[in-house]
Amino acid sequence: MLRVVVCVSGGGTNLGAILEALKDNRIQNTQIVGVFCNNPNAYGLIRAQEAGIPTCCLSPKTFESRDLFHDAFCEAINQWKPDLIVLAGFLVTIPAKLIEQYPNRIMNIHPSLIPSFCGVGFYGLKVHEGVLRRGVKITGATVHFVDTGCDTGPIILQKAVEVLETDTAETLQRRVMEQAEWIILPEAIGLYAKGRIQIQESKVLID
Ligand code: GRF
């Protein structure tokens, strides 16, 4: 049984998509053993609690230093003994020591087609504002492994979404979630659980 910890910061719709995929068996042989959140007001916490999943909520603001928060964050994650950590709309930078402890075992969903509109400053609505400002016709979402860079780890899955002339950042964000994020994140976890994801020279191969 693959032990998965999911990290959320907001609405938790990606967590919801993972729960749906578990329910209808699109993800097999997997258990979400814990949900970590950095925001006590996040609806993602409620989703986890309603699903009976153990939660831990620690806000960086309540720690005297970022290092102390990182220590508490790593301890909280490790106590669940995960095989895989999934960042599902998680807006906290992952400490390098956790990335080194879980090489190619931390997955992130990013709401653009990496390497476009990613990196420092590109998160949440800002991604879609950048897409509209540049006038690209196609955007989408990317699931990738987390490395010590920002959105630079090996790409696992991507899915394209058309940009409409009538789009606002909000309508585009919603469509990218519905048509891409909520599909490829559960798919990537399902593939990982089946052992179908290999890494060769920092490229992901799916067999
Ligand atoms: C999503 O667009 C996600 O990609 C981004 O934050 C938005 C909300 O995610 N990081 P969720 O509803 O909290 O899963």
Side-chain angles (χ1 to χ4, degrees):
M1 181 73 77
L2 185 77
R3 296 172 62 86
V4 175
V5 165
V6 181
C7 299
V8 301
S9 295
T13 63
N14 279 285
L15 170 62
I18 295 167
L19 293 172
E20 277 305 299
L22 280 165
K23 214 180 290 177
D24 55 23
N25 220 26
R26 281 177 287 125
I27 300 178
Q28 297 168 357
N29 195 27
T30 297
Q31 182 187 4
I32 300 181
V33 294
V35 169
F36 180 88
C37 185
N38 63 304
N39 168 10
N41 304 314
Y43 190 69
L45 267 181
I46 294 174
R47 290 181 196 269
Q49 287 153 1
E50 285 177 350
I53 299 168
T55 59
C56 174
C57 184
L58 297 175
S59 167
K61 297 178 192 139
T62 62
F63 286 79
E64 282 176 26
S65 73
R66 182 58 61 152
D67 281 351
L68 285 173
F69 168 72
H70 282 167
D71 292 346
F73 173 60
C74 292
E75 191 180 331
I77 298 295
N78 286 328
Q79 53 98 19
W80 279 316
K81 297 182 175 45
D83 301 304
L84 177 69
I85 300 165
V86 175
L87 311 181
F90 193 57
L91 300 178
V92 172
T93 303
I94 306 301
K97 65 179 177 180
L98 196 72
I99 296 168
E100 283 148 20
Q101 186 183 352
Y102 294 90
N104 294 319
R105 289 170 57 198
I106 305 175
M107 274 186 195
N108 182 48
I109 178 82
H110 182 76
S112 76
L113 295 176
I114 289 175
S116 298
F117 307 103
C118 65
V120 176
F122 281 108
Y123 57 89
L125 271 181
K126 292 176 186 294
V127 173
H128 307 291
E129 288 163 358
V131 163
L132 295 175
R133 207 169 27 249
R134 183 64 184 82
V136 297
K137 305 308 176 188
I138 299 289
T139 187
T142 303
V143 182
H144 63 95
F145 284 120
V146 172
D147 65 7
T148 50
C150 183
D151 299 329
T152 54
I155 291 172
I156 302 166
L157 290 175
Q158 295 189 297
K159 191 164 183 357
V161 174
E162 187 184 2
V163 181
L164 303 178
E165 286 179 4
T166 53
D167 267 326
T168 64
E170 289 76 7
T171 61
L172 186 54
Q173 178 181 52
R174 182 74 194 182
R175 197 161 66 257
V176 167
M177 286 200 271
E178 287 171 348
Q179 295 183 8
E181 296 179 42
W182 300 344
I183 295 167
I184 62 175
L185 185 54
E187 186 180 346
I189 298 167
L191 289 169
Y192 190 94
K194 288 177 182 169
R196 291 187 50 198
I197 292 180
Q198 314 299 330
I199 298 259
Q200 259 179 29
E201 291 159 20
S202 80
K203 297 281 186 309
V204 170
L205 302 176
I206 296 171
D207 56 29

